[in-house]
Structure formats: C-alpha cells, structure tokens
Amino acid sequence: MDAQTVVRALKTPVTLLLLVAFVAWAASWAWDAVREPIEERALPACVATNVGPELTPDRVYVQVLNGTPTSGLARRLAALLRADGFNVYRTTNAPTTDHEVSEVVGSSEQAPEVVLVRQAFTDIPFRADGRDNATVDVIIGAQQPVAATGVTFSAPLPDEQACLAQITVVNSEG
C-alpha cells in the first residue's frame, strides 16, 4: 500500500471524527449557555410625583416571592393584594425556600408605599434594603402572612409628593 491509498482510506473517517468532536463541543457549549441564569434588569429609580394628600394602593407596585417549598402561595397572595388595589408586577419564588417568617421588604419603614403594603397584613415584620425604585417585596415564609380586614388604605403625604415606581406591567397576572 502506498501513501496515497492510505490517505484516501483514512480521510473520510478522520474527517467524520473531527466533525463529531466539533458537534459535541458545540452542543456542550450551547447547553452551558442555555443553563446560565438570566441577569435581572434593575428597575429604574422612582420619580417624585405630585399625587395629592395621600398615597393609595393603585400607585404602589408589589413583587410577591414564595419563600417556602409549597407551590402557589405567591399567586394566591398576589390575588389578595390585587383585590386590595395594589399593582402586583411579579410573582415568583424567592432565591431560597427556607424562610421561616413572612416579611415586607422596601426602602424604609416610613416610606408611604411600605406603610400601605403593611396595612394589608396584621403584624408582619419589615426589613429595609435602601432600594431607590419605590417597589415593595412581600416574601412568604412558613409562618404565612394574615390579611387584615376592613382596612381603608391610605398613607398621608404632607407635601403631596410621592416617589412612584416606574414599571410597565406586561402581564398583570404575574
């Protein structure tokens, strides 16, 4: 057998092996890329707006996070908040499912949007995170929040100004 015959005999199998290796590498790269978490976009900062003497729930944006292994809790709580007039812009799972106590998270305890959301529940803890977008998170824990009844929602605004969240809700059912 001369060299030319050997090259002809090996050319096709070697080419196929190289193509299979390339396809395997490309599939592995694509699978890793698909499994990477999607980076969340930061919400824009709130905008000071003249809203009158009090803030009402229809101007407050809430995100409901399920911090338990039980499915459907965020959706059910979101329905209650919507019935109270709040804008629920997102329902999802919390990063962990080991939250013992439910809590409200917002910029500060005195922020009018936080005051309104806390009025919707009886005795719910609060945690400040200094956010600048005027949204409020409700994280559901194993000890689930109890909805308040007969509440007239309002947060007084002495200067008639509130910093309102700038969110466009595409799917209000979250």
Side-chain angles (χ1 to χ4, degrees), residues 45-66:
C46 62
V47 175
T49 309
N50 187 358
V51 295
E54 60 185 24
L55 184 65
T56 54
D58 62 319
R59 297 199 177 243
V60 176
Y61 287 88
V62 182
Q63 173 178 232
V64 182
L65 301 137
N66 185 356

Side-chain angles (χ1 to χ4, degrees), residues 93-114:
N93 291 325
T96 63
T97 59
D98 60 353
H99 291 265
E100 290 298 318
V101 179
S102 298
E103 66 180 340
V104 172
V105 182
S107 61
S108 75
E109 196 164 9
Q110 296 78 26
E113 65 274 7
V114 171

Side-chain angles (χ1 to χ4, degrees), residues 48-94:
T49 309
N50 187 358
V51 295
E54 60 185 24
L55 184 65
T56 54
D58 62 319
R59 297 199 177 243
V60 176
Y61 287 88
V62 182
Q63 173 178 232
V64 182
L65 301 137
N66 185 356
T68 73
T70 306
S71 63
L73 295 179
R75 186 176 55 246
R76 282 186 261 160
L77 185 63
L80 291 172
L81 288 169
R82 284 187 185 105
D84 288 337
F86 292 96
N87 295 299
V88 178
Y89 72 94
R90 185 174 180 206
T91 58
T92 188
N93 291 325

Side-chain angles (χ1 to χ4, degrees), residues 3-75:
Q4 192 174 15
T5 306
V6 172
V7 168
R8 257 191 250 155
L10 294 178
K11 187 169 34 172
T12 300
V14 169
T15 302
L16 285 175
L17 284 175
L18 289 172
L19 284 172
V20 167
F22 175 74
V23 169
W25 171 81
S28 172
W29 174 82
W31 183 251
D32 290 342
V34 165
R35 292 182 45 198
E36 263 189 44
I38 297 172
E39 187 176 317
E40 283 196 37
R41 288 186 299 168
L43 294 172
C46 62
V47 175
T49 309
N50 187 358
V51 295
E54 60 185 24
L55 184 65
T56 54
D58 62 319
R59 297 199 177 243
V60 176
Y61 287 88
V62 182
Q63 173 178 232
V64 182
L65 301 137
N66 185 356
T68 73
T70 306
S71 63
L73 295 179
R75 186 176 55 246

